[in-house]
Amino acid sequence: SKEDLDALRRELDRTRQDLEKARRLLDEERLKSSRDVERLLQEKMQATAAGNAQETRRLESLLKEREADLEKRRQQVAQAEQNAESYKARLAAVEGESAALRQDLDQARRQLAQSQTQIEEKKKAVAATEQKLESVRGEITRQKQAGPQSDPARLAAIEAELAKRNAELARQKEDIARLENEVSGYKVKVAKLETRPEPVKASVGVAAPSIQIIDPQIVVTRDTASVKVR
């Protein structure tokens, strides 16, 4: 339904907004991480210069962790972007299926209405033909009642016209029967299309990636080159 499609569009809009926020946070973290890595490198150089091998290894580990964490955030954003594109594609598919369903239903309704109109027109034509038949039959009766004064040629022509009118009436009734069968078929088709469930709108949960800003606190002491990270 239109409400379901609107809900999907709103969800996709929210997903896009969350994704933009995640990208912005990733850029901020990338910038901050660059500064933090620079400070950590400076501390590592100081620790190395001071001959503190333990602190040097510790800082190297922190640098690797920081880079790994940033890569994890990048992967989260990339996954969210992929999910958003998948969501967009599925929404487009649902809209396409819904449009096709509406088109089929509209076409069936038009065919139904057209056949019903044709039936009404045929019934009017049948009524007019029956009136003409009554007139022809009356003329035949009058010719026969005239006895010797009747015109045999005229009577033969009227009887031929009567046969022609009867044949026309039979064709018209056959047309009506055919159209009524079509109408029955169209009614069934319309009923099926109207009760057909909308294309499955499976919800694709695309949550914004959780970007956690890690703020290393570096404390420099010239004699020990210690580093405190929280």
Side-chain angles (χ1 to χ4, degrees), residues 13-217:
D13 288 339
R14 284 195 295 269
T15 300
R16 286 170 174 164
Q17 292 172 4
D18 291 342
L19 186 55
E20 287 302 316
K21 180 180 179 182
R23 287 170 177 161
R24 187 173 61 255
L25 289 174
L26 179 62
D27 288 340
E28 292 174 358
E29 184 178 4
R30 186 182 289 114
L31 180 61
K32 189 172 183 63
S33 178
S34 177
R35 293 194 297 264
D36 292 341
V37 167
E38 184 178 353
R39 287 197 299 267
L40 285 171
L41 287 172
Q42 291 176 354
E43 289 300 314
K44 177 187 171 184
M45 291 174 61
Q46 292 179 9
T48 301
N52 193 334
Q54 182 178 357
E55 288 300 326
T56 299
R57 288 192 297 270
R58 183 180 179 183
L59 287 167
E60 288 175 346
S61 176
L62 286 173
L63 284 167
K64 291 180 180 178
E65 290 177 4
R66 187 62 174 154
E67 190 60 36
D69 184 74
L70 190 59
E71 178 59 27
K72 180 180 179 181
R73 302 302 182 266
R74 284 195 289 265
Q75 292 176 0
Q76 287 176 332
V77 172
Q79 183 62 49
E81 289 174 340
Q82 182 178 350
N83 289 344
E85 287 301 316
S86 175
Y87 205 139
K88 182 179 178 182
R90 296 190 68 172
L91 177 60
V94 167
E95 288 178 328
E97 292 176 16
S98 296
L101 177 59
R102 288 193 298 270
Q103 184 177 357
D104 290 344
L105 181 56
D106 290 342
Q107 182 179 1
R109 285 172 174 167
R110 286 194 301 270
Q111 291 171 329
L112 174 59
Q114 182 179 359
S115 294
Q116 289 173 328
T117 300
Q118 289 176 344
I119 287 176
E120 292 302 318
E121 293 174 351
K122 291 291 184 181
K123 286 181 176 179
K124 291 178 181 179
V126 165
T129 300
E130 288 176 339
Q131 287 180 353
K132 292 177 181 178
L133 279 171
E134 287 300 319
S135 176
V136 172
R137 291 190 188 103
E139 181 64 21
I140 290 174
T141 301
R142 286 191 293 273
Q143 285 290 330
K144 289 181 177 180
Q145 290 175 349
Q149 297 179 355
S150 65
D151 183 352
R154 172 66 177 163
L155 181 59
I158 294 174
E159 288 177 340
E161 183 180 357
L162 178 63
K164 179 181 177 182
R165 297 292 183 186
N166 279 326
E168 181 182 355
L169 180 62
R171 286 194 301 271
Q172 289 172 337
K173 288 184 177 180
E174 288 177 358
D175 288 341
I176 289 175
R178 175 181 56 79
L179 288 170
E180 285 178 340
N181 285 334
E182 289 182 2
V183 164
S184 298
Y186 290 140
K187 284 182 177 179
V188 171
K189 185 176 181 179
V190 167
K192 287 182 178 179
L193 289 171
E194 287 178 338
T195 57
R196 178 181 172 183
E198 286 286 322
V200 178
K201 300 172 179 59
S203 175
V204 182
V206 185
S210 175
I211 306 297
Q212 181 182 5
I213 306 300
I214 300 177
D215 185 10
Q217 182 181 8

